[in-house]
Amino acid sequence: MSSLVVLVSAILVIASTFFLFPLVVRSLGRVVGWHLRRTSQSRREAIYERVREEQRAFLGQQRPGSAREESESTEDDGWERIEKSTAGFARNGGVADVEWGGIIGFFHPFCNAGGGGERVLWAAIKAVQQRWPNAICIVYTGDQGVDKTAMMSRVETRFDIRLYPPTLVFVYLTTRHYVLSSTYPRFTLLGQSLGSLVLAYEAFGLLCPDVFIDTMGYAFTTALSKHVLPDVPTGAYVHYPTISTDMLDSLEAGGQGLNAGAGKGVRGVLKRRYWQVFARMYGWVGGHANVVMVNSSWTQAHIRSLWGASRAKRDMHGDVDVVFPPVAVEQVEEQIEVSAESEKKRERMLLYIAQFRSEKNHAMVLEAFASLVHGRSKPASPSDEEPPRLVLVGSIRHRDDATRVYELRLLAHELKIKEHVEFVCDASWPEILDWLRRSWVGVNGMWNEHFGIGIVEYQAAGLISVVHDSGGPKSDIVIDHEGGPTGFHATSTADFAQAFDKALSMSPDDTLAMRRRARASAQRFTEQEFTRRWLSHVEELVALC
């Protein structure tokens, strides 16, 4: 009899664990969500009031008689039209029309970084502002030392994107160190992902949005949002999967990337198992987003593989859709000529536009360039007597990036090419245009680059692209167009050196033809196309409010 009681008790415990535990978790999540809404309600009301005040002040500045340059009239008039339509707010309007006046929260802790991901963020916010003039765009950021005026000035300088100030609000977070890789010498992927939960919890405690969109790749935050704020529609724009099958494959001997060949021995086996477990966790959290957008077909394939089962289980019917990042194709084409005449103004210069991060593989590019310089014993043509130059243009986010630039300078010195290499940090948009106008070749050395906004800028400017034979650059950007190639692919240091030489040694006719094909191919990545596809998905989220 006692054995039967024990058996029944065990069955009841197991049953309660499987059936009651999810209920308990959901109930606790709702209690936490109620607490977050309650504690942030006063801030929400204050934000609405502050937005109204800023709108009135902005409208006063735009009235007849104020000093305005005619050259700014086109875009200013656009914001003036927005201002005239902002008569009031309809919170949680529940419809995806122009009058919707809710709060869209963009989770982007490093919004001042100045990279391609930030261009996506600001272009997305501009599109939302013009589509829903009454909506408030909240950016959850850890950039505490930068106020809104300075941030908007940097956005305009770096990306040539002008935003509407009154309905843009920054919510500053104090726990960003929890998502820094330096905080976790071991188990970095897991540490950063769990750290993003701390950061997101702080964000919701400061302000609960009506729509939540992760635009930086912290997938765990969408799961937290669904558990504590289940009525808030969630979206994710994924630039790069946190874990992928390619990363697991890279552990093998002969693999590529930062962990190439790290799967050997007991430590390697444990690392592989850790990554496999993390991949399952990543797939589970990814299933909580109502809308998922990715930046390339390469990213799409990986996210479908990792998140597909979890999304199907939760009846998230929307597909993982490719929304190519916005690139200033039209602006580049207006500013930079591609013709036989403009060829006379170009210099034998290789340009690499990328943040100074380790995965961008600047060191390999320097080594390939050194092989090119030291291997060219005689000029290919009379106009090619001087060795080519390499220009590295990128933004510096923090001390680690600054240290990396210093180390790269030392490497250039060791390779005996420092006279032919130039580092340009935190360049403005006009400066970048000038480099694009003068350069001959555009370079990208990152393995499995998710997309590559800089590469599209190369193409729009007519540069001959030399990119890594992987990821988005291979599958989406540097592809054949109009029956011919638009650039070169490479894998190893020797491959890149050879591709550099080919790009610099083509005949004038072949060079100009490839430049024109590349420019025509870049039309697939315009800001207008991004805006159209982005808004179609955000409309889905707004309709769920």
Side-chain angles (χ1 to χ4, degrees):
M1 185 67 178
S2 58
S3 300
L4 180 61
V5 172
V6 171
L7 179 60
V8 171
S9 299
I11 293 174
L12 289 174
V13 169
I14 294 172
S16 63
T17 300
F18 279 97
F19 294 103
L20 295 181
F21 183 72
L23 178 61
V24 171
V25 170
R26 284 196 297 270
S27 299
L28 287 175
R30 290 179 183 275
V31 171
V32 173
W34 172 83
H35 171 71
L36 293 173
R37 289 186 186 278
R38 184 168 175 268
T39 56
S40 66
Q41 182 59 33
S42 60
R43 181 184 295 268
R44 181 186 180 97
E45 294 171 354
I47 285 176
Y48 271 104
E49 182 58 35
R50 188 172 70 190
V51 168
R52 290 191 183 94
E53 292 176 359
E54 290 189 17
Q55 284 180 322
R56 287 192 288 268
F58 187 84
L59 180 59
Q61 295 174 3
Q62 300 299 307
R63 283 172 179 163
S66 61
R68 291 177 60 188
E69 297 292 336
E70 288 189 8
S71 61
E72 300 177 347
S73 62
T74 301
E75 187 147 9
D76 282 352
D77 287 346
W79 295 128
E80 198 171 63
R81 287 193 295 273
I82 285 180
E83 180 59 47
K84 290 176 181 178
S85 69
T86 55
F89 297 99
R91 305 185 195 183
N92 292 311
V95 290
D97 61 21
V98 73
E99 297 301 324
W100 186 76
I103 293 177
I104 299 181
F106 294 85
F107 191 78
H108 208 105
F110 296 89
C111 70
N112 196 40
E118 286 65 58
R119 174 181 279 279
V120 171
L121 170 68
W122 303 122
I125 289 176
K126 180 176 180 179
V128 168
Q129 287 184 324
Q130 293 182 326
R131 174 64 177 83
W132 292 283
N134 294 337
I136 298 177
C137 294
I138 298 290
V139 180
Y140 297 108
T141 177
D143 296 303
Q144 299 182 63
V146 187
D147 61 16
K148 182 163 75 171
T149 300
M151 193 83 74
M152 293 182 65
S153 176
R154 176 172 168 80
V155 170
E156 184 172 353
T157 300
R158 175 65 181 88
F159 302 116
D160 197 29
I161 294 176
R162 300 186 64 196
L163 302 169
Y164 178 61
T167 58
L168 175 62
V169 178
F170 293 93
V171 173
Y172 295 95
L173 309 175
T174 62
T175 55
R176 191 174 70 176
H177 59 280
Y178 283 109
V179 297
L180 294 176
S181 59
S182 57
T183 305
Y184 310 98
R186 299 288 184 272
F187 300 101
T188 307
L189 292 180
L190 181 61
Q192 288 181 290
S193 297
L194 296 180
S196 70
L197 296 177
V198 177
L199 201 59
Y201 183 83
E202 181 190 7
F204 297 147
L206 293 172
L207 181 70
C208 293
D210 299 312
V211 172
F212 178 73
I213 305 177
D214 166 42
T215 53
M216 204 169 176
Y218 294 107
F220 280 60
T221 64
T222 61
L224 178 66
S225 178
K226 275 301 178 188
H227 279 84
V228 300
L229 304 170
D231 59 332
V232 172
T234 60
Y237 187 96
V238 184
H239 297 274
Y240 195 85
T242 305
I243 187 78
S244 68
T245 54
D246 285 356
M247 287 178 62
L248 290 169
D249 293 341
S250 73
L251 296 175
E252 302 291 345
Q256 299 187 56
L258 299 177
N259 293 278
K264 299 178 181 178
V266 175
R267 187 174 180 178
V269 171
L270 292 175
K271 187 179 187 70
R272 181 187 303 278
R273 183 57 181 162
Y274 156 54
W275 276 9
Q276 290 171 340
V277 172
F278 180 80
R280 294 186 65 180
M281 296 173 62
Y282 184 63
W284 180 79
V285 298
H288 290 79
N290 296 101
V291 168
V292 179
M293 295 168 275
V294 295
N295 63 349
S296 69
S297 59
W298 180 87
T299 307
Q300 180 189 51
H302 283 282
I303 292 299
R304 278 177 173 170
S305 173
L306 291 162
W307 293 7
S310 180
R311 289 180 58 75
K313 185 177 180 180
R314 290 175 175 78
D315 292 327
M316 298 295 184
H317 299 294
D319 191 15
V320 176
D321 191 30
V322 175
V323 179
F324 289 129
V327 186
V329 173
E330 299 93 336
Q331 298 170 5
V332 173
E333 290 183 349
E334 289 174 2
Q335 296 289 329
I336 299 176
E337 180 183 358
V338 176
S339 65
E341 187 63 28
S342 66
E343 288 295 283
K344 302 174 184 178
K345 303 175 184 178
R346 290 193 183 270
E347 304 172 30
R348 314 293 277 190
M349 191 156 57
L350 285 70
L351 179 66
Y352 189 5
I353 301 176
Q355 288 180 323
F356 290 107
R357 306 203 311 261
S358 56
E359 63 267 27
K360 295 298 182 180
N361 219 355
H362 288 88
M364 185 274 293
V365 172
L366 283 171
E367 292 168 358
F369 180 69
S371 297
L372 172 72
V373 171
H374 299 318
R376 292 190 128 200
S377 57
K378 59 181 181 179
S381 66
S383 62
D384 192 26
E385 295 179 358
E386 290 295 324
R389 294 169 57 205
L390 173 64
V391 179
L392 305 175
V393 178
S395 58
I396 294 180
R397 301 165 298 167
H398 40 59
R399 185 180 301 175
D400 290 348
D401 288 352
T403 301
R404 191 167 296 110
V405 171
Y406 175 74
E407 293 171 348
L408 291 171
R409 290 182 187 274
L410 290 179
L411 179 59
H413 177 76
E414 294 170 2
L415 294 170
K416 296 180 171 45
I417 54 173
K418 69 174 185 176
E419 296 84 1
H420 311 299
V421 178
E422 184 171 352
F423 292 83
V424 181
C425 301
D426 297 320
S428 66
W429 178 242
E431 290 175 315
I432 290 175
L433 284 174
D434 186 55
W435 287 115
L436 289 169
R437 184 181 297 109
R438 294 161 52 196
S439 298
W440 197 277
V441 175
V443 183
N444 187 287
M446 179 177 171
W447 171 67
N448 272 346
E449 172 76 89
H450 41 287
F451 181 70
I453 287 179
I455 302 172
V456 180
E457 291 172 347
Y458 298 157
Q459 290 188 327
L463 273 65
I464 306 300
S465 297
V466 177
V467 302
H468 199 283
D469 191 27
S470 62
K474 175 184 179 180
S475 60
D476 294 321
I477 305 176
V478 185
I479 60 177
D480 286 1
H481 185 76
E482 296 177 350
T486 58
F488 298 92
H489 301 101
T491 303
S492 65
T493 300
D495 290 341
F496 271 91
Q498 186 177 22
F500 292 160
D501 189 53
K502 288 181 179 179
L504 292 168
S505 304
M506 291 192 300
S507 70
D509 288 344
D510 289 344
T511 298
L512 183 56
M514 185 175 287
R515 294 194 198 282
R516 285 173 169 163
R517 286 195 300 271
R519 167 165 281 193
S521 178
Q523 292 299 319
R524 297 172 292 138
F525 310 109
T526 62
E527 292 177 335
Q528 286 81 358
E529 181 62 16
F530 168 81
T531 296
R532 183 184 68 81
R533 297 184 68 85
W534 167 267
L535 288 179
S536 69
H537 290 293
V538 179
E539 284 173 353
E540 296 178 39
L541 296 174
V542 172
L544 293 173
C545 289

